[in-house]
Structures are given as structure tokens and as C-alpha cells.
Amino acid sequence: LERPAQVESLVASMVHLTNRSYQAEFSFGSDNLVGTGADTLALISTILVAAALAGIIATMTRGRAAHPDRQVVCAMAATLVAVVAFAKVASPQYLVWLLPTVLLIAGWRGSVAGVLVLAIFGLAHVVYPRLYGDLVSTADQLPVSLLTIRNGLLIVLLVVAWPTGRRHRADAGSRSLAVLPRGNPHFGATPGNDLSTPTPTRGKGLGYGHGPV
């Protein structure tokens, strides 16, 4: 908890966006932002990590999904994205953690996640190492803006990777069938009719019953 926010983290982007006062220092093996405003936002980011992980667990326990294997992949990917996005340190090497699971997401969400990962890696590569010196020494607007976009895309990636928690369609279908009234084969009753009243059968030579009049 004592570790300050690193200059590439979401906390640092929030510090610049809100114009909070800070000082740059090298500690814990990285370039960081310290100060009252930065420390407060760093504490909030820690709370956000815990809240995101709790939300993922709650979603996964809500009900059985239509594709449990896909939901597990999404949950793992969302967990990694949440940790990277809200952590106090967001160096480029930590982005590599996203590759094993994010790229395994199936369907259209997997395609969107792949595009987002490429954009995130591209922005990170532009800032480090080319613009990193300007970011640390003068907080130049260009690297700050690029990192803000990159960190924003991490939030979008978290939303895309978040498991849906939908119940299996077969379960919903079985519950619907359970509430339908059963027909009476002796009277030809159909669902929705009063089972105590025979259903008249129309036809030539037939009356109200089972045989010809």
C-alpha cells in the first residue's frame, strides 16, 4: 500500500486529467508520482482492483452460462485486465500478461479484444522508450495524452472481456415447460383449456363425445 503510482499507470493519467499537485520521484525501482492528490488516487485504484475482482466472482456465481468454458476464459481475461488497468504500476512488460487469455476470447468479443490489445501495445511502444524521457522529466503533453488513451482502452477491454453470467437457455426452457398445464388424452384437452371440460370434436356423423351419434 505504501508504493506510489508509477508514471504510466491509470492513476498518473487521472492525476494529469484532474490537475492535481504531485512530485516525481524514483522509488521502488520505477519513476513515480507522489503527493496528496496522487496518493489519494492511488488508494482509490487499489479499491477499484478489489471491487473489480469481487464483481467478476459475483458474475460467475450468478448462474450457469450457456458456454461455461468461454465464461471461464472471459473471467480469467477480465481478472488480468482489471489488475493491469487499476494497478499502481502499468509498465509495458505487464501488458504481456494480457496475451495468454485475452486472445483466447471467442466470438465477436474476441475480435474486438484483439484489436484493443494491438492498439494498447502500439501506444505503449510509442511512449516507451521513445517518449519516456519527456514523460518523466517534463510530463510532456504528447506522452501524457497517449498514455491516457492507452489506459482508457484498458478500461474498454475490461468491459469487453467481462463475463456475461447468463444462464443456460435449456434451463430457462425447462422452467417454461414446467408451468404449462398438461393435456388430458381422454378428452383431447390442450394446454390452456379447462381439463374438466371435454373438447368437442367436429366432423361428419360425429357428435359431442367419442363415437358416432
Side-chain angles (χ1 to χ4, degrees):
L1 294 177
E2 296 179 357
R3 197 191 200 291
Q6 189 251 356
V7 293
E8 296 171 285
S9 64
L10 177 63
V11 175
S13 296
M14 295 171 63
V15 169
H16 292 298
L17 287 175
T18 57
N19 292 321
R20 293 181 178 269
S21 60
Y22 69 91
Q23 294 179 346
E25 72 169 22
F26 184 85
S27 60
F28 293 89
S30 63
D31 296 293
N32 310 307
L33 303 183
V34 296
T36 303
D39 293 343
T40 301
L41 291 175
L43 177 60
I44 294 175
S45 72
T46 302
I47 297 174
L48 288 176
V49 172
L53 298 182
I56 294 170
I57 294 174
T59 302
M60 292 296 293
T61 57
R62 188 179 304 168
R64 189 174 65 176
H67 302 284
D69 52 340
R70 296 183 181 183
Q71 288 296 83
V72 171
V73 172
C74 287
M76 294 176 61
T79 299
L80 290 175
V81 175
V83 171
V84 173
F86 297 129
K88 296 179 181 180
V89 181
S91 300
Q93 62 266 28
Y94 292 107
L95 299 177
V96 180
W97 295 356
L98 307 178
L99 295 178
T101 54
V102 170
L103 297 183
L104 293 178
I105 299 176
W108 67 267
R109 294 200 297 169
S111 301
V112 175
V115 173
L116 289 172
V117 167
L118 289 177
I120 290 169
F121 271 73
L123 291 170
H125 179 67
V126 171
V127 174
Y128 186 87
R130 300 178 182 179
L131 302 176
Y132 188 79
D134 295 334
L135 173 68
V136 174
S137 60
T138 62
D140 186 73
Q141 187 62 39
L142 179 57
V144 168
S145 299
L146 293 176
L147 283 175
T148 301
I149 296 173
R150 187 205 70 173
N151 294 330
L153 291 179
L154 282 171
I155 303 301
V156 176
L157 181 60
L158 176 61
V159 174
V160 172
W162 196 277
T164 59
R166 296 176 181 174
R167 293 182 180 273
H168 200 293
R169 293 181 179 179
D171 295 341
S174 61
R175 289 194 298 270
S176 299
L177 292 176
V179 300
L180 292 177
R182 296 181 179 179
N184 190 326
H186 298 290
F187 296 102
T190 57
N193 292 341
D194 186 355
L195 298 183
S196 62
T197 304
T199 301
T201 304
R202 296 180 181 180
K204 184 177 180 180
L206 299 178
Y208 190 83
H210 298 282
V213 178

